[in-house]
Amino acid sequence: MDFVAAFSFLFFGFTILFSVFSILIYIWRLKPWCNCDVCKAYLSSSWRKDFTNLCDWYTHLLRNSKTGTIHFHVLGNIITANPENVEHMIKTKFDNYPKGKPFSALLGDLLGRGIFNVDGDSWKFQRKMASFELGSVSIRMYAFDLINTEIRERLIPLLSSAAARQEVLDLQDVFRRFSFDNICKFSFGLDPGCLELSLPVCDFALAFDSASKLSAERALAASPMVWKIKRLLNIGSERELKEAIKKVNELAEGMINQKRKVGVSNSNDLLSRFMTSISDDRYLRDIVISFLLAGRDTVASGLTSFFWILSQHPEVVSAIREEMEKGHGVESRTS
């Protein structure tokens, strides 16, 4: 009993000290003594009076900034929309702005050594390899065929079915399913079937979403020590992240093993192409998972925003339809 009591005392003592330490680190990071207007609005959440989310508020601040740049002292962040700054960082002096170890640690369990999580020679190698593959005519035709098939066999039938039944669809969810089907087929040669008429629950898509979300949320911790200790103890969000990444890894490793057995000579997906020059299966997994991350939400968000803007400007919709009809007319005459 004495041992149990001592262990309980040590455990709860450690928990209390760890909580106090986390709070102190959080307060230190916030630097609540900063008295500038932007930091006061962030700390007091007064920006919520005029904006529904942070992105809209950031856009407002950037639009009204003479330099196109804003500084959040309490977060230690600088946000810029100045084209010259962006060009300087991602082109002119790209090597001066590495992601660094703190950033790589946040996404390391999910992305590993993928292009979004590395610097230097490893980044250059993957970029060169990706540029070469994505620039080929054959893979562009492959991507065009995949997307065309997804539109004709799934997207249009789904929208037509909903229209016939006068059902409401969450267009963002539809486009997320559409982009995930395409990027999985393009990257792995795998068809998850997310956009079938029944809109099924896809375990792989859920695991990938969960892994992406939880990895990014590590950055919100008061200190990196918080999520690292949770990972060590396998508790809370870190336990969920570990389980989600395990599901992603199982599918990726399964696809790689399958392709090793049957061969990749007749396949056009990125994984098959990369396997001809890379023998490290873990590295292959990291590279392809990065492509999934790049091609999923970007395409879905772009399509959702595009159609939302179109809904606000019916005159543009009419112009697009008129142009399409002219194009069909030209095709008919030439054929």
Side-chain angles (χ1 to χ4, degrees):
M1 291 296 292
D2 292 339
F3 172 77
V4 174
F7 176 78
S8 300
F9 176 78
L10 288 173
F11 177 78
F12 286 110
F14 171 78
T15 302
I16 293 171
L17 288 174
F18 178 68
S19 300
V20 172
F21 172 75
S22 299
I23 293 172
L24 290 176
I25 291 293
Y26 179 71
I27 294 174
W28 177 81
R29 284 188 63 191
L30 284 180
K31 298 185 180 70
W33 52 86
C34 180
N35 202 37
C36 73
D37 292 338
V38 172
C39 292
K40 284 195 297 184
Y42 177 81
L43 291 172
S44 65
S45 295
S46 61
W47 58 269
R48 293 181 181 274
K49 296 177 182 177
D50 301 307
F51 304 95
T52 56
N53 59 68
L54 275 173
C55 289
D56 288 344
W57 183 45
Y58 289 169
T59 302
H60 168 76
L61 293 175
L62 290 168
R63 185 178 290 128
N64 288 279
S65 169
K66 294 181 180 179
T67 61
T69 301
I70 53 177
H71 189 184
F72 281 80
H73 307 97
V74 295
L75 298 177
N77 288 342
I78 296 176
I79 303 174
T80 184
N82 186 317
E84 293 182 0
N85 291 341
V86 175
E87 182 178 11
H88 175 79
M89 289 186 288
I90 68 175
K91 182 181 180 182
T92 310
K93 293 293 183 181
F94 179 77
D95 291 338
N96 288 354
Y97 299 92
K99 302 173 186 71
K101 291 183 179 179
F103 178 89
S104 298
L106 292 174
L107 304 178
D109 291 329
L110 174 61
L111 298 183
R113 294 177 290 162
I115 190 170
F116 296 119
N117 215 40
V118 293
D119 295 306
D121 293 337
S122 183
W123 180 88
K124 291 178 180 177
F125 167 74
Q126 292 186 51
R127 185 179 186 279
K128 183 178 180 180
M129 181 174 61
S131 297
F132 175 77
E133 293 294 350
L134 296 177
S136 67
V137 175
S138 60
I139 201 163
R140 289 185 179 185
M141 291 302 299
Y142 175 66
F144 176 81
D145 291 339
L146 288 179
I147 295 172
N148 190 44
T149 300
E150 187 78 6
I151 291 173
R152 292 181 179 277
E153 296 184 1
R154 288 182 179 162
L155 181 59
I156 292 178
L158 174 64
L159 297 178
S160 298
S161 175
R165 299 180 182 182
Q166 295 186 336
E167 294 178 343
V168 175
L169 283 176
D170 181 343
L171 203 58
Q172 185 170 19
D173 177 57
V174 169
F175 285 140
R176 281 171 63 83
R177 291 169 178 272
F178 171 77
S179 61
F180 196 68
D181 276 359
N182 283 314
I183 198 62
C184 282
K185 287 187 283 186
F186 183 70
S187 299
F188 279 123
L190 166 74
D191 181 7
C194 295
L195 199 61
E196 292 179 354
L197 279 177
S198 60
L199 295 178
V201 175
C202 177
D203 290 338
F204 179 53
L206 291 177
F208 188 78
D209 282 347
S210 179
S212 302
K213 175 176 177 290
L214 293 171
S215 294
E217 286 180 352
R218 284 174 167 178
L220 301 178
S223 165
M225 288 299 297
V226 175
W227 66 262
K228 288 181 179 179
I229 291 176
K230 288 170 66 177
R231 181 176 64 178
L232 179 65
L233 299 176
N234 193 31
I235 59 175
S237 59
E238 287 298 314
R239 181 176 182 177
E240 294 178 36
L241 176 60
K242 183 178 180 180
E243 293 173 352
I245 291 177
K246 181 181 178 182
K247 292 180 180 179
V248 172
N249 288 344
E250 286 175 351
L251 185 137
E253 291 164 4
M255 292 299 301
I256 292 172
N257 292 334
Q258 180 182 349
K259 288 183 180 296
R260 291 281 186 210
K261 293 178 181 179
V262 302
V264 297
S265 58
N266 296 321
S267 301
N268 288 315
D269 57 89
L270 284 179
L271 176 59
S272 299
R273 287 172 172 265
F274 290 157
M275 287 178 73
T276 60
S277 56
I278 299 175
S279 58
D280 185 339
D281 286 355
R282 178 67 189 186
Y283 195 28
L284 279 170
R285 174 263 179 214
D286 294 345
I287 292 173
V288 177
I289 290 299
S290 292
F291 272 94
L292 288 183
L293 185 66
R296 202 268 174 92
D297 288 337
T298 51
V299 173
S301 297
L303 287 172
T304 304
S305 298
F306 173 71
F307 281 97
W308 180 81
I309 292 173
L310 282 184
S311 70
Q312 307 300 306
H313 300 278
E315 72 280 3
V316 178
V317 177
S318 300
I320 291 174
R321 287 176 173 168
E322 183 179 346
E323 185 174 340
M324 291 175 63
E325 290 173 0
K326 288 180 180 179
H328 287 311
V330 173
E331 287 181 7
S332 299
R333 289 195 295 273
T334 55
S335 61

